[in-house]
């Protein structure tokens, strides 16, 4: 199983929504960790996926730190680092 880590600023919502749907349907993805780096954004994708975990940051921690946080909480040893 894989943990997929996706930091987002919510700028590519159409792509992110498709990506999340595909990951949700995948048999090899156990969890999707979404790092919300723009908690003030009002135009976010509806994250209604059973595999999704959303962590909202109080400020933009940028992509590298977001990936590190995602890896630190991942349940699975296999990690997929992604972005939107």
């Amino acid at each position: 199983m894989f943990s997929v880590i996706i930091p987002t600023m919510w700028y590519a919502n159409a792509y992110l929504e498709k990506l999340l749907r595909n990951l949700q349907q995948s048999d090899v993805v156990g969890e999707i960790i979404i790092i919300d780096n723009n908690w003030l954004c009002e135009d976010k994708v509806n994250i209604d996926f059973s595999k999704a975990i959303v962590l909202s940051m109080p400020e933009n921690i940028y992509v590298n730190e977001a990936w590190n946080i995602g890896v630190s909480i991942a349940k699975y040893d296999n990690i997929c680092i992604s972005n939107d």
Side-chain angles (χ1 to χ4, degrees):
M1 284 289 195
F2 282 85
S3 294
V4 179
I5 302 160
I6 307 170
T8 185
M9 292 290 289
W10 308 104
Y11 297 150
N13 287 347
Y15 172 78
L16 181 59
E17 191 169 4
K18 290 177 190 174
L19 175 62
L20 292 173
R21 268 192 261 119
N22 288 335
L23 293 171
Q24 176 68 31
Q25 293 173 357
S26 174
D27 293 335
V28 298
V29 173
E31 68 179 347
I32 308 162
I33 302 170
I34 301 164
I35 310 293
D36 179 358
N37 268 335
N38 189 3
W39 64 275
L40 292 174
C41 179
E42 294 179 9
D43 185 29
K44 297 180 182 183
V45 172
N46 183 11
I47 309 294
D48 191 22
F49 300 98
S50 62
K51 295 180 184 180
I53 301 163
V54 179
L55 299 177
S56 293
M57 300 295 112
E59 61 185 5
N60 184 2
I61 61 170
Y62 301 98
V63 69
N64 289 341
E65 185 62 24
W67 282 330
N68 290 337
I69 289 171
V71 168
S72 74
I73 67 164
K75 290 194 299 190
Y76 302 100
D77 291 334
N78 296 310
I79 304 292
C80 177
I81 293 179
S82 184
N83 62 30
D84 62 352

